[in-house]
Amino acid sequence: MNIPFCLPENITPEDFLQNYWQKRPLVIRNGLPQIVGLFEPQDIIELAQEEDVTSRLIQTHQTAEGEKWSLKRSPLAAEDFENLPKQWSVLVQNLEQWSPELGALWQAFGYIPQWQRDDIMVSYAPAGGSVGKHYDEYDVFLVQGYGHRRWQFGKWCDPSTEFKPNQPIRIFDDMGELVLDEVMNPGDVLYVPSRMAHYGVSETDGLTFSFGLRYPNAADLLENFCKTLEHHSEVIAGSEFNIPFRLAPHEQPNALLDPKMVKVLKHQLIDLLQNSDQFDEIFTHSVATAVSSRRYDLLQTDNEYYPDEVQGILEEGGWIQQDANVKMLYTENPQRIYVNGEWIDELNEAEQNLLIRIANGDAISWNKLASKAKDQEELELLLDTLCDWLDNGWVILEEAE
């Protein structure tokens, strides 16, 4: 299924990235009609109770002291959905794990690099249900899949923004001046920049799908960088990293860590990172592993594919494409391919080229596969490799309709 980019007709991807991305919200009416009808509320309630699903049940209780919120995390059971208050919501994470059809809709946001994809979350709430006034530390496209929800957007927030005390979720009362107040209908899309206050309330039974996009934070990058350095200790040993001077004993107390020396070491480290080709390669590797990692493990299946089976489906018009539940990226100079946080370092040139094409969104038909193999032996090897990738859950095999 070829899905066009989700943008208004008068806004190009370049316009969006320059004028809206992380700057201001955007309403895209009927931006993703393909989502309508994929799920109904009962589907989400039942899915939230599955053993391997990550879900949350949020309830709002009206008390004499005001609203009191409660939160229960998975595993959820049928009895959790009995005797609920008037206002409640259930959220399910990583929904593309359970619905390849939904995962395929990531194509609609293909103008943003796939390494920024986090997951697709769904929120179900009856009329009046909400998760409160809040902000997120990531960008998100909110897609109305069922029913109607009213959204209000307000101020920009930051780490100093105060949340309501003694509540299990991060919510606040002060939205600031409203900059948007709209009701979303099925198929409508709303882009929410990171750290913008927003507040959604269901006007009817409704399902809202959140396509979340994240950048790695400094802690993620530093953690991966340190792990990479552990495996490249020879770079440290061979570097010019040393203390260029020694203070005279009388200048400082004997046990004091001289702040001047600390400052010099900091500048040395920054200089090494900026000017060393070896460190460039190590840092690129650490960034690639960080941004290609997923927060949720792949669902293990017992599927097993065989070359004859795959060839038959491809010859009948089927195709191979990336599983939307998998993150793939590659680097240049040196060329390396990463899948779900792992460097795939045992690929020959033909396999590398094929996986890069798949990562870039190409659907591999039999004609494309056969045309890229230099002989029958290489074609058979590529079929074997595709079976391994199918077994690993990296790609999916679609049959012709």
Side-chain angles (χ1 to χ4, degrees), residues 104-134:
L105 300 185
W106 270 119
Q107 297 177 51
F109 308 104
Y111 47 90
I112 298 171
Q114 69 159 291
W115 60 260
Q116 293 186 41
R117 296 177 188 172
D118 188 26
D119 76 321
I120 304 174
M121 182 188 76
V122 64
S123 169
Y124 164 68
S130 174
V131 295
K133 301 169 183 176
H134 66 286

Coordinates of all heavy atoms in Angstrom, one line a residue, residues 104-134:
A104 N 2.0 0.3 8.8 CA 2.3 0.8 7.5 C 2.0 2.3 7.3 O 2.5 2.9 6.4 CB 1.4 0.0 6.5
L105 N 1.1 2.8 8.2 CA 0.8 4.3 8.1 C 1.9 5.2 8.5 O 1.8 6.4 8.3 CB -0.5 4.5 9.0 CG -1.7 3.8 8.6 CD1 -2.9 4.2 9.4 CD2 -2.0 3.9 7.1
W106 N 3.0 4.6 9.0 CA 4.2 5.5 9.2 C 4.7 6.1 7.9 O 5.4 7.1 7.9 CB 5.4 4.6 9.8 CG 5.4 4.6 11.3 CD1 5.3 3.4 12.1 CD2 5.6 5.6 12.2 NE1 5.5 3.8 13.4 CE2 5.6 5.1 13.6 CE3 5.8 7.0 12.1 CZ2 5.8 5.9 14.7 CZ3 6.0 7.8 13.2 CH2 6.0 7.3 14.5
Q107 N 4.4 5.5 6.8 CA 4.7 6.0 5.5 C 4.2 7.4 5.3 O 4.8 8.2 4.6 CB 4.2 5.2 4.4 CG 4.7 3.7 4.3 CD 4.0 3.0 3.2 OE1 4.0 3.4 2.0 NE2 3.5 1.8 3.5
A108 N 3.1 7.7 6.0 CA 2.5 9.1 5.8 C 3.4 10.1 6.4 O 3.3 11.3 6.0 CB 1.1 9.1 6.5
F109 N 4.3 9.8 7.3 CA 5.2 10.7 7.9 C 6.6 10.5 7.5 O 7.6 10.8 8.2 CB 5.0 10.7 9.4 CG 3.6 10.8 9.9 CD1 2.9 9.6 10.3 CD2 2.9 12.0 9.8 CE1 1.6 9.7 10.7 CE2 1.6 12.1 10.2 CZ 0.9 10.9 10.6
G110 N 6.8 10.0 6.3 CA 8.1 9.6 5.8 C 9.0 10.8 5.4 O 10.2 10.6 5.1
Y111 N 8.5 12.0 5.6 CA 9.3 13.2 5.3 C 10.2 13.5 6.6 O 11.0 14.4 6.6 CB 8.5 14.4 4.9 CG 7.3 14.6 5.8 CD1 7.3 15.4 6.9 CD2 6.1 14.1 5.4 CE1 6.2 15.7 7.7 CE2 4.9 14.3 6.2 CZ 5.0 15.1 7.3 OH 3.9 15.3 8.0
I112 N 10.0 12.7 7.6 CA 10.8 12.8 8.9 C 11.6 11.5 9.0 O 11.1 10.4 8.8 CB 9.9 13.0 10.1 CG1 9.1 14.3 10.0 CG2 10.8 13.0 11.4 CD1 8.1 14.5 11.0
P113 N 12.9 11.6 9.2 CA 13.8 10.4 9.2 C 13.2 9.3 10.1 O 12.8 9.6 11.3 CB 15.1 10.9 9.7 CG 15.1 12.3 9.3 CD 13.7 12.8 9.4
Q114 N 13.3 8.1 9.7 CA 12.6 7.0 10.5 C 13.4 6.8 11.8 O 12.8 6.2 12.8 CB 12.6 5.7 9.7 CG 13.9 5.0 9.4 CD 13.6 3.5 9.1 OE1 13.2 2.7 9.9 NE2 13.9 3.2 7.8
W115 N 14.6 7.2 11.9 CA 15.3 7.0 13.2 C 14.7 7.8 14.4 O 14.9 7.5 15.5 CB 16.8 7.2 13.1 CG 17.2 8.6 12.7 CD1 17.6 9.0 11.5 CD2 17.3 9.8 13.6 NE1 18.0 10.4 11.5 CE2 17.8 10.8 12.8 CE3 17.1 10.0 14.9 CZ2 18.0 12.1 13.3 CZ3 17.3 11.3 15.4 CH2 17.8 12.3 14.6
Q116 N 13.8 8.8 14.0 CA 13.1 9.5 15.0 C 11.8 8.9 15.5 O 11.2 9.3 16.5 CB 12.8 10.9 14.5 CG 14.1 11.8 14.3 CD 13.8 13.2 14.0 OE1 12.9 13.8 14.5 NE2 14.5 13.8 13.0
R117 N 11.4 7.8 14.8 CA 10.2 7.2 15.2 C 10.3 6.5 16.6 O 11.3 5.8 16.9 CB 9.8 6.1 14.2 CG 9.5 6.6 12.8 CD 9.2 5.5 11.9 NE 9.1 5.9 10.5 CZ 9.0 5.1 9.4 NH1 9.0 3.8 9.6 NH2 8.9 5.6 8.2
D118 N 9.3 6.7 17.4 CA 9.3 6.1 18.7 C 8.3 4.9 18.6 O 8.7 3.7 18.5 CB 8.9 7.1 19.8 CG 9.1 6.5 21.2 OD1 9.9 5.6 21.3 OD2 8.4 7.0 22.1
D119 N 7.0 5.2 18.8 CA 6.0 4.1 18.6 C 4.7 4.8 18.3 O 4.5 6.0 18.3 CB 6.0 3.2 19.9 CG 5.2 3.9 21.0 OD1 5.4 5.1 21.2 OD2 4.5 3.2 21.7
I120 N 3.7 3.9 18.1 CA 2.3 4.4 17.9 C 1.5 4.0 19.1 O 1.5 2.8 19.5 CB 1.7 3.8 16.6 CG1 2.5 4.1 15.4 CG2 0.2 4.3 16.5 CD1 2.0 3.4 14.1
M121 N 1.0 5.0 19.8 CA 0.2 4.7 21.0 C -1.3 5.1 20.6 O -1.5 5.9 19.8 CB 0.6 5.6 22.1 CG -0.1 5.4 23.4 SD 0.3 6.7 24.7 CE -0.6 8.1 24.1
V122 N -2.2 4.4 21.2 CA -3.6 4.7 21.1 C -4.2 5.0 22.4 O -3.9 4.4 23.4 CB -4.4 3.5 20.4 CG1 -4.4 2.3 21.2 CG2 -5.8 4.0 20.0
S123 N -5.1 6.0 22.4 CA -5.8 6.4 23.6 C -7.3 6.2 23.4 O -7.8 6.8 22.4 CB -5.5 7.8 24.0 OG -6.4 8.3 25.0
Y124 N -8.0 5.4 24.2 CA -9.4 5.3 24.1 C -10.0 6.0 25.3 O -9.6 5.8 26.4 CB -9.9 3.9 24.1 CG -11.4 3.8 24.4 CD1 -12.4 4.3 23.5 CD2 -11.9 3.3 25.6 CE1 -13.7 4.3 23.8 CE2 -13.3 3.3 25.9 CZ -14.2 3.8 25.0 OH -15.5 3.8 25.3
A125 N -11.1 6.8 25.1 CA -11.8 7.4 26.2 C -13.3 7.6 25.8 O -13.6 7.9 24.6 CB -11.2 8.8 26.5
P126 N -14.2 7.4 26.7 CA -15.6 7.7 26.5 C -15.8 9.2 26.5 O -14.8 9.9 26.8 CB -16.3 7.0 27.6 CG -15.3 7.0 28.7 CD -14.0 6.8 28.1
A127 N -17.0 9.7 26.2 CA -17.2 11.1 26.2 C -16.9 11.7 27.6 O -17.2 11.2 28.7 CB -18.7 11.4 26.0
G128 N -16.1 12.8 27.6 CA -15.6 13.4 28.8 C -14.3 12.9 29.3 O -13.7 13.5 30.2
G129 N -13.8 11.8 28.7 CA -12.5 11.2 29.2 C -11.3 12.0 28.7 O -11.3 12.7 27.6
S130 N -10.2 12.0 29.5 CA -9.1 12.8 29.2 C -7.9 12.3 30.0 O -8.1 11.5 30.9 CB -9.3 14.3 29.5 OG -8.1 15.1 29.3
V131 N -6.7 12.7 29.6 CA -5.5 12.4 30.4 C -4.9 13.7 31.0 O -3.8 13.7 31.4 CB -4.4 11.6 29.6 CG1 -4.9 10.3 29.2 CG2 -3.9 12.4 28.4
G132 N -5.7 14.7 31.0 CA -5.3 16.0 31.6 C -4.5 16.9 30.8 O -4.1 16.6 29.6
K133 N -4.3 18.1 31.3 CA -3.5 19.1 30.7 C -2.0 18.8 30.9 O -1.6 18.6 32.0 CB -3.8 20.5 31.2 CG -5.3 20.9 31.0 CD -5.7 22.1 31.8 CE -7.2 22.4 31.6 NZ -7.6 23.6 32.5
H134 N -1.2 18.7 29.8 CA 0.1 18.2 30.0 C 1.0 18.6 28.8 O 0.5 19.3 27.9 CB 0.2 16.7 30.1 CG -0.3 16.0 28.8 ND1 -1.6 15.9 28.4 CD2 0.5 15.3 27.9 CE1 -1.6 15.2 27.3 NE2 -0.4 14.9 26.9

